[in-house]
Amino acid sequence: MDSYCVFGHPIEHSKSPWIQARFAELTGQTLQYEKTWVPLDAFNATVHAFRAAGGKGCNVTLPFKTEAAALATECSPRVALAQACNTLKFDGEHIYGENTDGLGLVTDLVSNAGFSLQGRRILLIGAGGASAGVLGPLLAQKPQCIWVANRSVDKAIHLVARHASLAASEGVDCQAFGLTHEAILSQSFDLVINASSSSLQQAALPVPATVLQANGLACDLMYGPAAQGFLEWARAHGTEARDGLGMLVEQAAASFQLWRGVQPPTQQVLAELRALVSPSQ
Ligand code: NDP
């Protein structure tokens, strides 16, 4: 039976085995998908051992996405820009690396939430692995602007600089700021994406409510109870709010599609997973 896995540290929380098993059931694919905890110094060795044992592909989560990008023998343009990879596909010695995080977020916003990104003003909070994964696919939707705001402004500057050429070719105003910069505090945005780990840490909201718009959308990439504070804050200010569960299912679907060549029914699986995980929407 074709074998797949998700590697991470920690990994117990991962919903990927459940999601991939449902995709396989609903599309009639025969495969097995497991989760494996990997010691911090053993990522490459663990992946190579899995591949040598016949593994067909894997997902990669924190903190190994950068190592996965380096391990791939061929990378998608998205991985090259993000410098992070969450999906590997094995074909003999050939290891193809893809980043499906941004594809998943865009599909969730555009197809599941019905929120077109073209011409919109977007605030992207955070400049870690998740922001790096989503910035390229967001730029490709041709919003009017994407302003990246991060606690450590240097990381936002580097992230935006790597995407400058793509932003110019898509005609998007893409700039980097600190979280408390006047330009951020004095404006509101059609779409506010919290790609920082503030919700994961149950820390204070990273920006004031002045960034929200009554007819806009606010999305936290976190899901489950940890996302509730952000969702309630946005809704209390009249903004529609969405958590990261749809992104989770859609990025998994893009991995499944890459491995199996079949598109799974994501809306059904998202509805089932939401009933299990989160009453937030
Ligand atoms: P990283 O550790 O790579 O980056 C964390 C980012 O959050 C950094 O920019 C950091 O700023 C910022 N940050 C941390 N704490 C705070 C705070 N208290 N206030 C403001 N900013 C803060 O994490 P990831 O980018 O991988 O993950 C970010 C979030 O996205 C997590 O909640 C994760 O669960 C979620 N995620 C969801 C996915 C999904 O499918 N739904 C997929 C991937 C991630 P600084 O640079 O200053 O340290």
Side-chain angles (χ1 to χ4, degrees), residues 215-241:
N215 57 349
L217 178 66
C219 177
D220 197 317
L221 302 195
M222 194 66 215
Y223 51 83
Q228 283 304 307
F230 180 92
L231 300 178
E232 285 166 12
W233 167 76
R235 288 171 184 149
H237 291 89
T239 301
E240 193 185 331

Side-chain angles (χ1 to χ4, degrees), residues 87-280:
T87 307
L88 294 171
K89 181 181 181 184
F90 309 133
D91 185 8
E93 294 299 306
H94 184 254
I95 302 176
Y96 182 72
E98 178 58 281
N99 190 319
T100 64
D101 282 339
L103 300 172
L105 176 63
V106 167
T107 302
D108 184 54
L109 294 174
V110 174
S111 301
N112 297 342
F115 191 88
S116 167
L117 299 171
Q118 190 172 7
R120 302 285 196 161
R121 293 176 44 76
I122 300 175
L123 176 62
L124 178 62
I125 304 164
S131 282
V134 303
L135 182 53
L138 287 171
L139 286 167
Q141 294 294 306
K142 300 185 188 301
Q144 183 191 120
C145 77
I146 303 180
W147 287 5
V148 181
N150 194 45
R151 191 172 58 178
S152 314
V153 68
D154 284 1
K155 275 169 64 178
I157 289 170
H158 283 119
L159 182 60
V160 166
R162 281 212 306 280
H163 289 75
S165 167
L166 177 61
S169 69
E170 299 291 359
V172 184
D173 167 20
C174 188
Q175 300 187 50
F177 297 96
L179 281 176
T180 55
H181 193 284
E182 175 63 20
I184 302 297
L185 302 183
S186 63
Q187 312 226 13
S188 63
F189 297 81
D190 299 308
L191 173 62
V192 175
I193 301 171
N194 186 16
S196 83
S197 44
S198 64
S199 294
L200 182 68
Q201 299 168 4
Q202 297 293 279
L205 292 159
V207 287
T210 47
V211 301
L212 299 172
Q213 271 178 206
N215 57 349
L217 178 66
C219 177
D220 197 317
L221 302 195
M222 194 66 215
Y223 51 83
Q228 283 304 307
F230 180 92
L231 300 178
E232 285 166 12
W233 167 76
R235 288 171 184 149
H237 291 89
T239 301
E240 193 185 331
R242 193 163 182 85
D243 68 7
L245 206 62
M247 171 183 171
L248 180 73
V249 170
E250 295 295 349
Q251 62 81 29
S255 297
F256 188 88
Q257 165 79 39
L258 177 70
W259 295 324
R260 310 299 299 182
V262 177
Q263 176 60 36
T266 53
Q267 296 204 358
Q268 177 181 343
V269 173
L270 175 56
E272 291 175 3
L273 185 60
R274 189 166 295 291
L276 289 175
V277 168
S278 164
S280 59

